Amino acid sequence: MVLEIKSIKLIRNRQLLLNKFNLKLRKSQIIILVGDNGSGKSSLMDTILGLIKPEEGFIKIKNKNIEDLKDKIRNHILYIPHENGLKENLTIIENLRIWLSLVDKKISNYNLSEKLKYFDLYDFKDFPVRNLSHGQKRKVILSKLLLSDSYIWILDEPMNGLDTNSIKKLSRLIENFSESGGATLLSSHVNYKIKKANKIHLKKRKNNISRTQKFITWSEL
């Protein structure tokens, strides 16, 4: 088992999102969290990354508590948030170079450019990101999947903004990752089809509570 979530109770903005929530993600497994906005999908992912501390329960990565991993979480997980977070004045290559330096991965300019062909970004590699469409920007972020050595992928609404062909390519990439032993947890408010994927449906709760939650940012880890 690569990821275990046990009896999580999660509160955000005085709203009870999850209570006694359990999840086990195993090697080669794909799990899709399906639910409307506000059902707790993104908040659960933030909790896995250590950005939100749950009221109750624990999360382990390969039997180690996430609190003990701290900045080493990046060695285990590749996280693709629902927001692109690109630097608009920089090119595709420059944006990816920044991320590669953060994860301490070296790759030649030639190989990096070749990876961009998968999502049809090669011809735009030297364009400032501000000149790209929303879908193209999304594909820049998703290109990290082709460059990462992580064995767990956490993908928050990865299909948003993609055309039909790009969705098929992303689905195939996730399936290939699974076949190679990787584990993927992704969220969606749309019922996408990915081979051998298990689905967990989250429902939005209506009850408010009086307690508040402390948050930190990904950059603070």
Side-chain angles (χ1 to χ4, degrees):
M1 188 184 312
V2 296
L3 174 67
E4 180 182 11
I5 300 172
K6 182 69 173 178
S7 299
I8 285 293
K9 181 179 181 181
L10 186 58
I11 297 169
R12 186 164 187 176
N13 298 328
R14 299 174 60 186
Q15 181 78 27
L16 178 63
L17 298 178
L18 299 171
N19 192 27
K20 296 182 180 179
F21 180 84
N22 299 293
L23 183 148
K24 292 181 179 180
L25 182 65
R26 295 176 172 83
K27 183 179 178 180
S28 298
Q29 190 175 18
I30 304 168
I31 294 179
I32 305 176
L33 301 174
V34 181
D36 295 332
N37 292 335
S39 59
K41 303 185 303 296
S42 296
S43 295
L44 176 60
M45 291 183 169
D46 286 344
T47 306
I48 294 170
L49 296 166
L51 305 179
I52 301 175
K53 186 175 181 180
E55 296 289 319
E56 298 175 4
F58 64 83
I59 298 175
K60 291 184 177 182
I61 297 175
K62 283 197 170 180
N63 293 319
K64 292 184 179 180
N65 286 312
I66 58 169
E67 291 88 353
D68 298 329
L69 293 173
K70 296 183 179 179
D71 57 340
K72 294 181 180 179
I73 286 180
R74 282 194 176 97
N75 298 334
H76 303 271
I77 294 175
L78 172 61
Y79 172 52
I80 303 292
H82 61 86
E83 295 179 353
N84 295 326
L86 297 167
K87 295 187 180 298
E88 294 281 323
N89 60 319
L90 299 183
T91 66
I92 291 176
I93 293 290
E94 289 169 338
N95 269 280
L96 290 175
R97 279 289 178 201
I98 291 174
W99 173 75
L100 287 166
S101 66
L102 290 174
V103 297
D104 196 27
K105 182 175 176 67
K106 294 178 173 58
I107 183 172
S108 69
N109 285 332
Y110 173 80
N111 288 333
L112 178 55
S113 297
E114 286 295 302
K115 294 291 186 182
L116 296 178
K117 291 181 178 179
Y118 187 82
F119 283 119
D120 304 313
L121 293 172
Y122 180 85
D123 292 337
F124 307 96
K125 60 186 174 67
D126 296 318
F127 282 37
V129 166
R130 64 174 177 269
N131 294 341
L132 304 179
S133 68
H134 175 68
Q136 288 173 321
K137 291 177 183 179
R138 193 64 182 153
K139 289 190 285 187
V140 173
I141 294 299
L142 291 170
S143 294
K144 294 178 181 180
L145 301 175
L146 300 162
L147 301 166
S148 173
D149 295 324
S150 300
Y151 58 88
I152 302 173
W153 288 355
I154 304 290
L155 315 178
D156 194 357
E157 299 282 359
M159 312 290 189
N160 279 4
L162 299 183
D163 56 42
T164 302
N165 186 51
S166 297
I167 289 174
K168 289 180 180 178
K169 286 186 174 184
L170 176 57
S171 298
R172 187 162 59 246
L173 194 60
I174 293 170
E175 291 162 4
N176 291 342
F177 182 60
S178 173
E179 290 174 1
S180 68
T184 302
L185 177 66
L186 65 101
S187 69
S188 176
H189 63 277
V190 180
N191 212 352
Y192 290 110
K193 293 182 180 179
I194 299 178
K195 292 179 182 178
K196 299 181 180 179
N198 303 110
K199 295 181 181 179
I200 297 177
H201 292 265
L202 301 180
K203 294 183 179 180
K204 187 175 181 179
R205 295 172 178 264
K206 296 182 179 180
N207 52 315
N208 290 334
I209 56 178
S210 59
R211 299 185 67 180
T212 58
Q213 181 67 58
K214 180 182 178 182
F215 298 91
I216 59 175
T217 64
W218 179 241
S219 60
E220 290 181 88
L221 293 179

